[in-house]
Amino acid sequence: MPRDYVLALDQGTTSSRCMLFDRTGHVRAFTRRPLPLQYPQPGWVEQEPEDIWRSQYGALREALEISGVSAREIAAIGITNQRETTLVWDRHTGEPVCPAIVWQCRRTAPLCAQLRADSTLCETIATRTGLRPDAYFSATKLRWILDHVPDAQTRAKRGELLFGTVDTFLIWKLTGGRAHVTDRTNASRTMLYDIVKLRWDEELCRALSIPMEMLPSVVPSGGVCAAAVLDGVEIPIAGVAGDQQAALYGHGCRAAGEGKNTYGTGCFLLINTGETFCRSTHGLITTLAAQPNGAPVQYALEGSVFSGGAVMQWLRDELGMISDATEAARLAASVPDNGGVYLVPAFTGLGAPHWNMYARGAITGLTRGTTRAHIVRAAEESIAYQCRDLVEAMEQDTGLPLKNLYVDGGASGDDFLMQFQADVLGAPVCRPVMAETTALGVAALAGHAAGVWSSRTTLAASHAECKCFSPAMAQKTRDTLLLGWQQAVRRVL
């Protein structure tokens, strides 16, 4: 039976998705399963590892059922995932030793503050990993687990415990425990991986007392790295990439200066810098871009907004102000402006370019005339303002003005938000018809490696049509709004 299909597993923070592509590039099935988050203490965010696995495997099974495609027809599997989320499990039983610590979690902020006090260590981290000491990254989360789970450090040194980001855990489960691997893009988010020499850094592991025995093998993003077993059939896992690098690849941003922004739970803006390690002086980080096996290593500048779509989830789930994103856009458009109200969603601190782990959220400018619509509009606008701050930092680092911004992710479907984003940027915002560019990118990596598509651009080209939002805001209005935003941010800092 010919193997004409590629499965893309897209494991995100609040849901697990699966897309099935056929040889012509058409989507034969798209499934989604929700994934709960836990907040055991203020600033802490966790997930149950088995919930991650069950939701992703359930989405996979549902996609096959809907499409009628069997495991024997799958040529390759690609996996893309929420990055930095940290898991530790028993090598022999596969049992997790504790809940997964999600990328948003800030419990290790005190440890990061200690690391920042060592200027020599900070410089080593920056020059080797492209990162900075922050609770966002995996290394201190792993250190916390080793410190707080009984006997974890001793067991890890004996080789009994394994560390992995979500991609590693899914590969472990899909292969029945036969493969303990990650790809370069996910490794580059741990704060333990040298992105110049492309290897785990012994000095940094020593500095954090991380036993290297528990670290996975690192492979290129594109290329067969393991074999999943599904219904008794072995299927090559041929593409693995962190979600934001997968989206960059899915947008076709393969040349220096090309960039995208993903509007998910957080917002993540990446600009490809080619084969140049560009170190930011404006609060951004440097990371590895996804590349097929054998291709030259490429880097990207990245800015991360911790609370993007999470702002709208908060309005819906915690405050009960909206029922869904459609209602949010309608309410935001029902008032002519924000009425002087600004919402700074620093629920888990502020990411780039501020990197303040202790900042917390605030709503400013409230008056007796403030309505629910004004607060909802301020929430929508906060996403665009935070992304605009990232673009400004990237322009300062690269010296290149933004020509246009390619967008994807759930919140990119909000026309009000996309138009406001174009307005505050003063540049066009382009949204592909195929909004799931994260899954598209990893499918392209896997399908090319497996020979389903002969060219790296074949699949992406079939989904290249975009809707563009052009800026329509007067410069004076833009300047006034940005000044109000900057004042609000200063208050939470």
Side-chain angles (χ1 to χ4, degrees):
M1 182 175 289
R3 294 195 171 197
D4 289 332
Y5 299 91
V6 175
L7 268 176
L9 307 184
D10 184 358
Q11 203 299 298
T13 310
T14 57
S15 69
S16 296
R17 297 171 292 279
C18 180
M19 296 190 79
L20 180 67
F21 294 87
D22 64 23
R23 190 173 287 274
T24 67
H26 289 92
V27 178
R28 290 289 299 273
F30 176 35
T31 57
R32 177 189 181 104
R33 297 287 178 93
L35 179 63
L37 290 163
Q38 301 165 0
Y39 308 95
Q41 295 186 34
W44 289 31
V45 190
E46 296 179 348
Q47 286 174 325
E48 289 300 327
E50 287 303 314
D51 287 345
I52 295 174
W53 165 245
R54 280 193 294 266
S55 65
Q56 187 62 80
Y57 188 70
L60 183 160
R61 299 302 318 191
E62 187 180 357
L64 295 183
E65 182 179 346
I66 289 172
S67 64
V69 172
S70 71
R72 292 193 302 272
E73 297 174 86
I74 307 300
I77 293 174
I79 297 174
T80 182
N81 56 285
Q82 53 168 312
R83 305 171 302 169
E84 298 95 17
T85 294
T86 300
L87 302 96
V88 175
W89 63 94
D90 186 288
R91 178 190 296 273
H92 304 295
T93 68
E95 286 294 315
V97 301
C98 66
I101 301 180
V102 176
W103 60 271
Q104 297 168 308
C105 187
R106 312 308 288 172
R107 73 183 67 184
T108 64
L111 173 56
C112 293
Q114 293 176 25
L115 298 177
R116 287 185 181 182
D118 186 337
S119 59
T120 301
L121 180 60
C122 286
E123 180 65 17
T124 300
I125 290 171
T127 56
R128 297 184 190 177
T129 73
L131 309 179
R132 55 191 292 143
D134 192 87
Y136 180 24
F137 306 113
S138 306
T140 59
K141 301 179 195 300
L142 176 53
R143 181 65 260 154
W144 190 96
I145 292 172
L146 294 175
D147 284 338
H148 291 82
V149 174
D151 299 324
Q153 182 76 22
T154 301
R155 294 176 65 197
K157 286 182 178 179
R158 290 201 301 254
E160 296 174 9
L161 299 183
L162 300 178
F163 154 74
T165 42
V166 169
D167 59 308
T168 306
F169 185 66
L170 293 180
I171 293 171
W172 176 266
K173 299 287 278 188
L174 286 166
T175 62
R178 292 181 299 168
H180 182 221
V181 301
T182 189
D183 89 299
R184 292 171 180 169
T185 65
N186 279 293
S188 73
R189 312 299 296 185
T190 62
M191 213 173 75
L192 297 171
Y193 188 73
D194 189 321
I195 63 174
V196 177
K197 295 181 178 178
L198 303 180
R199 67 188 186 193
W200 296 114
D201 190 279
E202 292 186 29
E203 184 179 346
L204 293 177
C205 287
R206 262 196 317 273
L208 284 162
S209 298
I210 303 295
M212 297 188 73
E213 294 86 348
M214 67 190 311
L215 303 179
S217 300
V218 183
V219 299
S221 299
V224 176
C225 66
V229 179
L230 191 62
D231 297 335
V233 178
E234 288 197 350
I235 304 171
I237 297 174
V240 183
D243 51 10
Q244 305 315 316
Q245 287 96 331
L248 187 71
Y249 196 86
H251 278 292
C253 299
R254 315 274 165 77
E258 297 179 338
K260 67 88 201 176
N261 193 26
T262 295
Y263 297 79
T265 303
C267 293
F268 304 90
L269 198 151
L270 279 76
I271 289 182
N272 191 321
T273 61
E275 298 178 41
T276 302
F277 182 128
C278 179
R279 185 171 172 184
S280 174
T281 58
H282 294 87
L284 305 177
I285 58 177
T286 307
T287 195
L288 286 172
Q291 283 286 79
N293 189 17
V297 172
Q298 286 192 335
Y299 297 90
L301 273 179
E302 176 173 339
S304 305
V305 169
F306 293 157
S307 295
V311 186
M312 311 316 294
Q313 294 164 357
W314 175 70
L315 288 184
R316 180 193 66 199
D317 300 337
E318 272 68 52
L319 298 191
M321 280 194 172
I322 58 172
S323 57
D324 54 35
T326 303
E327 183 182 13
R330 179 181 59 78
L331 277 170
S334 71
V335 288
D337 53 45
N338 63 16
V341 177
Y342 290 87
L343 191 159
V344 184
F347 303 129
T348 56
L350 286 175
H354 309 289
W355 293 107
N356 189 311
M357 296 181 288
Y358 300 104
R360 289 297 178 262
I363 302 175
T364 69
L366 295 173
T367 68
R368 184 61 183 83
T370 299
T371 67
R372 177 168 67 115
H374 288 118
I375 294 174
V376 172
R377 180 168 181 136
E380 290 246 0
E381 290 182 353
S382 75
I383 302 172
Y385 289 134
Q386 291 178 97
C387 295
R388 193 264 179 194
D389 289 346
L390 299 182
V391 169
E392 183 178 33
M394 287 187 175
E395 289 178 338
Q396 291 170 336
D397 274 331
T398 64
L400 301 172
L402 181 73
K403 293 182 179 179
N404 53 46
L405 183 66
Y406 292 98
V407 299
D408 63 86
S412 70
D414 183 335
D415 284 3
F416 173 87
L417 174 59
M418 293 300 98
Q419 182 59 55
F420 189 78
Q421 185 71 85
D423 286 341
V424 295
L425 287 176
V429 168
C430 301
R431 181 179 66 202
V433 172
M434 162 60 83
E436 300 293 333
T437 50
T438 303
L440 181 72
V442 80
L445 285 163
H448 174 64
V452 176
W453 300 297
S454 59
S455 167
R456 287 193 287 159
T457 60
T458 301
L459 182 60
S462 67
H463 296 282
E465 184 180 349
C466 291
K467 176 178 180 178
C468 287
F469 298 82
S470 298
M473 182 180 286
Q475 183 65 49
K476 183 178 180 180
T477 303
R478 182 184 303 121
D479 291 343
T480 300
L481 288 172
L482 291 175
L483 178 62
W485 167 252
Q486 291 157 6
Q487 290 172 339
V489 169
R490 280 198 292 273
R491 291 181 179 182
V492 305
L493 292 175

